[in-house]
Amino acid sequence: MNIRPGTPADAPHLAQTEQAAAAFPWSLSQIIQSCRNERQRVLVLDLEELPCAGFAVIDCIVDEATLLNIAVHPDCQGRGFGTALLQAVVECSASMGALKLMLEVRSSNLVALSLYRRFGFREDGIRKKYYPAASGREDAVLMSRAIGSET
């Protein structure tokens, strides 16, 4: 397993992972834009059996970072790679000078909610009907945690 910075050349592969992992995936153009945005960092999870098996996108403004997206290919889920990616997100955010890391997650995504709680994220609120869903809209849970010396 290797976690490295993403480049625009990774975007087509990351889009394939995103398509496989998300019911309402980001588009290829959104992924390319994140790879080119100087304020954002894309972290790529490479596995021997599957390069670009996962990725995370972080946006940092002054001292606050936001996890915009995190995905692991379904064939690789349940093996600790999401945990490794999230640890890399925390470390990268700290290296970018962030003191706080924020995210939003579907209220139905119990696996992700559990992972974020294990990493010390606390619920800050609910954004009603934020995400598209198969039947209407779904709430987003807003979460955050302090980062810095404890990472």
Side-chain angles (χ1 to χ4, degrees):
M1 175 183 73
N2 178 44
I3 297 175
R4 62 174 174 79
T7 69
D10 294 315
H13 306 289
L14 300 179
Q16 289 175 343
T17 294
E18 174 74 349
Q19 289 284 328
F24 297 89
W26 280 18
S27 68
L28 174 59
S29 63
Q30 286 173 297
I31 293 171
I32 291 170
Q33 184 178 11
S34 289
C35 289
R36 291 184 176 156
N37 188 323
E38 293 181 16
R39 199 180 69 211
Q40 295 180 358
R41 298 290 181 274
V42 177
L43 302 177
V44 176
L45 168 71
D46 286 327
L47 302 177
E48 187 174 314
E49 68 270 24
L50 183 61
C52 298
F55 70 97
V57 180
I58 310 159
D59 187 64
C60 191
I61 300 173
V62 188
D63 63 353
E64 291 185 341
T66 302
L67 176 59
L68 299 176
N69 195 348
I70 186 167
V72 174
H73 194 282
D75 293 345
C76 304
Q77 292 176 2
R79 295 169 40 195
F81 298 127
T83 299
L85 259 176
L86 187 56
Q87 182 62 45
V89 165
V90 171
E91 292 168 4
C92 182
S93 298
S95 75
M96 294 167 70
L99 302 176
K100 182 178 185 180
L101 178 58
M102 301 172 293
L103 60 86
E104 56 202 28
V105 59
R106 289 177 179 273
S107 60
S108 65
N109 193 341
L110 302 181
V111 172
L113 284 164
S114 176
L115 174 63
Y116 298 141
R117 287 182 184 120
R118 284 196 318 267
F119 266 77
F121 284 87
R122 301 287 180 245
E123 293 182 23
D124 297 325
I126 301 290
R127 186 169 284 145
K128 294 286 190 185
K129 299 179 182 178
Y130 181 72
Y131 288 111
S135 58
R137 308 288 294 178
E138 180 177 359
D139 295 346
V141 178
L142 307 175
M143 304 181 86
S144 67
R145 67 162 276 185
I147 57 175
S149 60
E150 73 277 5
T151 59

